[in-house]
Amino acid sequence: MKIDAHQHFWLYNEKEFAWINDDMSELKRDFSPEDLKVLLKSIHFDGSIVVQARQSLDETRWLLELAQKYDFIKGVVGWVDLCSPDVTKQLKQFANNPFLKGVRHVIHDEADDQFMLSEEFQRGISVLNDFNLTYDLLLFPKHIPYALQLIEKFPEQLFVLDHIGKPDIKNKEISFWKENLTKLAEYRNVYVKVSGMVTEADWKNWRKEDFKAYLDIVFNAFGPERVMIGSDWPVCTVSESYESVMGIVLDYVKQFASGYESQILGENCSRFYSIK
């Protein structure tokens, strides 16, 4: 089964999606499962993981409702307030829903770069395993050293790094990101999504060659057994079409044996998110 490990849906409104600025005006509309269904079919993919785009419990409920309606949605990465003393109570309301696979917090928008090291946040992370939930790390390279400290404390918790840690591909910055990504990969409970790369590149002028050095580093660090393909649709469309964005990784993985290729294109995602 081939799975797009990272995409979003939303019903656009200016207040809740203030991060969509005028440079991203094409994102100022609704994006629905019907839209993605056609795109998945165009590249012969079987399903996707939908990831939260708003930090609210209503977002989690809405995405779970969509998963009940569309069989290609294989799982939901939702949001709960991990810093809340009521985090266990929040999780219990979703505990019986088989589509909730993990949670995410938009850490890279927090004012404090060390947000994930707070006592409250770590208390929230500590209860995820009780619900068999994974955690998606949404970071900039500057946050990875703090992520290393977090992961060190939770060896039994499954983590996945979104968008390869968002290195500055446009300006070809590699060394700091590479150093810390390589350290992150030493933890066997950490996976990585090769997704969201085009939005860190020169949106309208990138070439596939721009990503090769970054992909080489990711695959050398994690191996094909802990890498999963994702689109970051519809955000990726500020740069290129869905097919072109997915094509970057689809072309790259052709160098691997068929067994590894199938892992990257779906099997690793299925294992990580417990998709049957």
Side-chain angles (χ1 to χ4, degrees):
M1 180 164 53
K2 293 181 180 180
I3 304 172
D4 178 345
H6 198 103
Q7 53 83 197
H8 310 281
F9 300 124
W10 59 67
L11 302 175
Y12 177 75
N13 68 74
E14 187 173 358
K15 181 179 179 181
E16 291 185 299
F17 294 91
W19 59 270
I20 302 178
N21 58 37
D22 289 341
D23 291 336
M24 305 177 178
S25 58
E26 54 264 64
L27 300 182
K28 294 183 178 183
R29 66 174 182 87
D30 297 349
F31 289 89
S32 74
E34 292 293 340
D35 297 323
L36 183 63
K37 186 177 181 180
V38 176
L39 298 173
L40 289 170
K41 186 175 181 180
S42 73
I43 60 168
H44 309 291
F45 266 55
D46 305 293
S48 71
I49 300 293
V50 60
V51 180
Q52 60 85 220
R54 298 177 300 159
Q55 303 207 141
S56 74
L57 294 176
D58 285 342
E59 168 89 338
T60 305
R61 292 189 192 95
W62 179 62
L63 295 178
L64 290 171
E65 289 171 2
L66 292 179
Q68 296 277 5
K69 296 176 182 177
Y70 293 89
D71 61 4
F72 73 83
I73 301 175
K74 303 302 181 183
V76 170
V77 176
W79 181 89
V80 295
D81 186 355
L82 291 170
C83 293
S84 170
D86 294 328
V87 63
T88 299
K89 183 179 178 181
Q90 291 178 28
L91 286 167
K92 282 182 176 177
Q93 65 183 289
F94 304 120
N96 293 325
N97 193 309
F99 289 105
L100 186 64
K101 304 298 185 180
V103 299
R104 186 177 82 155
H105 185 89
V106 184
I107 285 175
H108 70 28
D109 282 355
E110 293 290 343
D112 181 2
D113 288 348
Q114 300 187 49
F115 174 85
M116 72 188 93
L117 297 182
S118 70
E119 182 179 342
E120 295 82 6
F121 185 83
Q122 291 187 54
R123 184 185 62 238
I125 292 289
S126 72
V127 303
L128 294 181
N129 241 345
D130 297 337
F131 295 89
N132 296 314
L133 294 173
T134 63
Y135 184 77
D136 270 52
L137 291 157
L138 181 58
L139 314 173
F140 290 131
K142 66 178 180 178
H143 299 110
I144 299 179
Y146 306 119
L148 289 165
Q149 295 179 53
L150 177 72
I151 291 161
E152 176 75 29
K153 296 180 180 182
F154 298 99
E156 303 303 317
Q157 174 63 47
L158 283 174
F159 295 91
V160 60
L161 180 66
D162 290 349
H163 314 326
I164 68 171
K166 298 176 78 73
D168 187 352
I169 298 171
K170 181 178 180 179
N171 293 306
K172 297 181 171 58
E173 293 185 6
I174 289 184
S175 58
F176 179 81
W177 166 80
K178 177 184 178 180
E179 177 185 353
N180 289 289
L181 180 97
T182 302
K183 292 176 182 176
L184 197 68
E186 292 174 3
Y187 293 90
R188 301 299 297 179
N189 57 320
V190 182
Y191 287 58
V192 64
K193 294 180 182 180
V194 279
S195 58
M197 295 183 295
V198 294
T199 50
E200 304 308 317
D202 187 339
W203 287 4
K204 301 300 182 183
N205 296 295
W206 58 261
R207 301 173 302 160
K208 285 185 181 179
E209 293 77 16
D210 296 336
F211 305 104
K212 185 180 184 303
Y214 295 90
L215 288 169
D216 286 346
I217 290 165
V218 169
F219 279 90
N220 286 335
F222 284 88
E225 304 90 346
R226 286 185 290 146
V227 179
M228 56 186 91
I229 187 174
S231 64
D232 197 27
W233 179 89
V235 182
C236 66
T237 61
V238 300
S239 174
E240 252 299 352
S241 68
Y242 181 84
E243 294 86 352
S244 294
V245 169
M246 290 292 273
I248 296 167
V249 177
L250 290 172
D251 287 347
Y252 181 87
V253 301
K254 288 177 181 177
Q255 67 186 286
F256 296 110
S258 59
Y260 282 144
E261 187 176 0
S262 62
Q263 288 183 48
I264 298 157
L265 302 187
E267 291 173 11
N268 294 339
C269 180
S270 292
R271 183 172 68 253
F272 182 83
Y273 287 119
S274 299
I275 298 167
K276 299 177 181 178

